[in-house]
Amino acid sequence: MDYEAFFLQRLDELRAEGRYRVFANLERRCGFFPRAYDRRAGEVTVWCSNDYLGMGQHPAVLDAMVDAVRALGAGSGGTRNISGNTYLHDLLEAELGDLHRREAALVFTSGYVANETVLSTLAQTIPGMIVVSDAMNHASMIAGIRSSRAEKRIFRHNDPADLARILAGLPADRPKLVCFESVYSMDGDIAPIGELCDIADAFGAMTYLDEVHAVGLYGARGGGIAERDEVLDRPTVIQGTLAKAFGVMGGYIAGSAALIDYVRSHAPGFIFTTSLPPALTAGALAAVRHLKHSQSERECHQARVVEVKRRLASAGLPVLPSQSHIVPLLVGDPVRCEALSDALLERHRIYVQPINYPTVPRGTERLRLTPSPLHSDADIAALVDALTEIWQTEPLREAA
């Protein structure tokens, strides 16, 4: 087989479909978020960052990271089982356990790794496990379920009745794990956590809740949708990230002491992976502590989201209904989606990455906007004016 020819052919196919991914060469400017520097366009305003609250440049986070580097060095020294465990890891896990009102927590190198590792471990090591997964779950959850090789079922997205139908058809004596997210990152819709947990409990199933796009953003202390909806005690496992609202890097799970210890002792993706370095751990710890007590970032964030949605709808732009801070603009064609993104960058110095298949289903390609507390009224006006102008540009209509 000519491997190089195979690679090049597949890449050409991606380009022909408008799905070839091009990374923007961005330099985030500390203290100036949401501004960044793009080597093609110069200074740009970023409208698609997952640093939802701008905590990646918060002084408390930066100071904690600098102090940790000076005191403890750059790396962690290895896996936590051998030489990479520090008091900072223990402190961070205690804060995360407290955030979700759980006995314990366990930190991973990313949210993806947490999902893939924990789901594969639970599904593979609990004899006879059947996994029941929401149809729109994230790729990391799907990867973990697949790698476990456990029996699985898929229930219709956010549909408690369909979950009940599936669970009712499964053997009563088989262990079961129901997996879903709180906020779905592409459509911005929110799961009925309490209803799904009610049904899972009725059939003796564990529940696994991904709160990646909600932790830090919702609830009185940033505990996510489960805290906001007063069902924080319901899921068996809560999974989150340190890389979005908390502005740093890493993932985690929270649960009972026995469950966390079980995963710690059985999960290869934790046991054999170098731990988070001290600076990232310290930065995450500072962000979690700050957002437990500060409401200003969350309140301003929600106000900005409401204003962006209102302005886009008033301008007649195709903003999809969303229950959360995710603001999707439907395009429906990969080539047009990329052209819109390029025009925003080149003509208006606005950066919004196109979202195409396989991140979203074919025909639902979109621009995904994520307002932050640091986007000003002038930023919002510039965004809406730019989108209105390019949506009406003749070459882009022909590209659709």
Side-chain angles (χ1 to χ4, degrees), residues 66-383:
V66 171
D67 290 346
V69 168
R70 294 296 183 194
L72 304 173
S76 66
T79 69
R80 289 177 68 182
N81 294 280
I82 298 176
S83 56
N85 192 61
T86 74
Y87 72 97
L88 289 171
H89 293 99
D90 296 334
L91 289 175
L92 177 57
E93 288 170 347
E95 287 288 344
L96 292 168
D98 175 74
L99 177 66
H100 296 287
R101 305 298 189 194
R102 298 306 170 94
E103 293 177 333
L106 191 66
V107 171
F108 295 81
T109 51
S110 74
Y112 190 106
V113 171
N115 271 339
E116 185 176 33
T117 299
V118 177
L119 286 171
S120 63
T121 298
L122 292 176
Q124 187 176 62
T125 62
I126 300 176
M129 175 66 80
I130 303 174
V131 181
V132 186
S133 177
D134 187 286
M136 297 299 291
N137 275 342
H138 189 263
S140 58
M141 301 175 78
I142 295 169
I145 295 166
R146 283 178 176 167
S147 66
S148 75
R149 299 183 180 177
E151 188 177 342
K152 68 175 183 289
R153 302 284 190 278
I154 309 297
F155 68 95
R156 288 192 296 268
H157 178 52
N158 278 350
D159 189 336
D162 196 48
L163 174 62
R165 177 189 63 82
I166 291 173
L167 289 174
L170 298 177
D173 60 345
R174 294 277 298 276
K176 306 165 191 71
L177 177 62
V178 177
C179 309
F180 54 96
E181 302 178 42
S182 59
V183 176
Y184 286 83
S185 63
M186 291 299 117
D187 288 343
D189 53 335
I190 293 175
I193 298 172
E195 291 181 66
L196 295 173
C197 288
D198 285 343
I199 291 164
D201 289 349
F203 290 94
M206 297 171 61
T207 44
Y208 185 100
L209 173 64
D210 178 319
E211 287 259 42
V212 159
H213 292 275
V215 290
L217 300 173
Y218 299 92
R221 304 191 310 153
I225 297 296
E227 183 182 36
R228 186 200 71 175
D229 292 353
E230 299 183 347
V231 290
L232 197 55
D233 62 325
R234 301 300 306 282
T236 311
V237 185
I238 295 177
Q239 182 265 352
T241 185
L242 304 168
K244 294 181 170 58
F246 295 127
V248 191
M249 179 183 175
Y252 66 90
I253 59 168
S256 71
L259 184 146
I260 296 301
D261 201 16
Y262 180 86
V263 172
R264 184 188 69 87
S265 302
H266 289 82
F270 174 82
I271 295 170
F272 299 106
T273 299
T274 298
S275 64
L276 283 181
L280 291 177
T281 310
L285 178 60
V288 172
R289 284 176 171 171
H290 176 83
L291 290 175
K292 276 184 179 180
H293 302 289
S294 175
Q295 297 298 328
S296 60
E297 291 85 0
R298 282 189 285 275
E299 290 172 357
C300 186
H301 180 236
Q302 289 301 314
R304 296 286 82 186
V305 170
V306 169
E307 180 64 10
V308 169
K309 289 179 178 179
R310 184 189 70 79
R311 293 288 302 274
L312 292 172
S314 296
L317 291 161
V319 58
L320 295 173
S322 164
Q323 302 168 288
S324 70
H325 59 283
I326 307 296
V327 185
L329 280 177
L330 181 64
V331 179
D333 177 87
V335 175
R336 176 174 166 80
C337 196
E338 186 173 357
L340 289 166
S341 175
D342 289 344
L344 281 171
L345 183 65
E346 294 163 7
R347 296 185 348 219
H348 299 280
R349 294 187 176 183
I350 291 173
Y351 175 63
V352 183
Q353 184 72 0
I355 306 293
N356 295 327
Y357 177 84
T359 306
V360 295
R362 297 180 192 274
T364 69
E365 292 83 5
R366 67 198 61 189
L367 299 178
R368 174 184 176 271
L369 305 173
T370 55
S372 80
L374 301 173
H375 284 99
S376 67
D377 289 339
D379 292 332
I380 296 173
L383 171 71

